Amino acid sequence: MVQPHGVILAGGRATRMGGGDKGRLMLSGRSLVARVVDRLAPQVDRLALNANGAPDRWSDLGLPVLSDEAPDRPGPLAGVLAGLDWAAVTGCPHIVTAAADTPFLPPDLVPRLLAAAAPSGLALAATEVEGRVRAQPTFGLWPVALRDDLRAALAAGTRKILHWTDAHGAGLAVFPTDPWDPFFNVNTPEDLARAEAMA
């Protein structure tokens, strides 16, 4: 399978952190988003950032900045669509997404998502805790072939990732959570303190 493009989702409002660009928070001397770049870039052939607002504030990363097409910031599915539109222009058949606030994402995220892809081409990362499998919906493999369907779903009001992926079928790549959850994300000041202890 052709190596996918990678898209880091950084379009959220970060309300629980007081607003601003959560990916810019520092963790042991490096920003969260820089740590995500370090982990995802070696796994993909190209990398971009999905973010809204002035793109030049991300210029130090040296990445294309993709803004949401929808004006009302409808959530991460809009970032997925922006990534799919970018990949369509470059001729890549699929993208892999990761959240900008998850500094410990797996170094084998992409190959495991590719191996788990359903017939639809979709796959989501997941974790299993006490026998329960929980999808991590901002970490996924997304086929460009479904971008028009996703555009129509967003226009019709779909906002939750799992509502859309469940309609098409998505494979699950289940990752271990020992010694910690690789999809741990920084939402609060307390989470940042926990991440410092893990870094």
Side-chain angles (χ1 to χ4, degrees), residues 126-143:
T127 53
E128 184 174 357
V129 179
E130 297 178 351
R132 295 187 62 188
V133 174
R134 178 174 175 248
Q136 302 289 334
T138 53
F139 295 83
L141 173 72
W142 313 87

Side-chain angles (χ1 to χ4, degrees), residues 5 7 48 50 66-67 78-88 95 97 144:
H5 289 355
V7 178
N50 163 241
L66 316 172
S67 61
V80 172
L81 179 58
L84 291 174
D85 285 343
W86 170 59
I95 64 169
T97 56
V144 170

Side-chain angles (χ1 to χ4, degrees), residues 77 124 135-137 159-167 172:
L77 276 177
L124 296 177
Q136 302 289 334
R159 295 295 178 260
K160 291 190 178 295
I161 291 175
L162 293 178
H163 286 177
W164 187 72
T165 57
D166 286 351
L172 290 178

Side-chain angles (χ1 to χ4, degrees), residues 1-9 36-37 39-50 63-64 66 79-99 105 109-111 113-114 121 123 138-144 147:
M1 186 177 277
V2 176
Q3 198 71 358
H5 289 355
V7 178
I8 298 172
L9 301 174
V36 174
V37 168
R39 287 184 173 245
L40 188 57
Q43 303 184 54
V44 296
D45 69 335
R46 298 188 193 185
L47 188 60
L49 185 80
N50 163 241
L63 300 176
L66 316 172
V80 172
L81 179 58
L84 291 174
D85 285 343
W86 170 59
V89 170
T90 66
C92 186
H94 39 250
I95 64 169
V96 165
T97 56
L105 70 94
L109 174 69
V110 171
L113 285 172
L114 289 170
T138 53
F139 295 83
L141 173 72
W142 313 87
V144 170
R147 71 185 177 117

Side-chain angles (χ1 to χ4, degrees), residues 77 148-159 164 168:
L77 276 177
D148 289 334
D149 185 283
L150 177 55
R151 196 184 321 279
L154 281 166
T158 298
R159 295 295 178 260
W164 187 72
H168 293 282

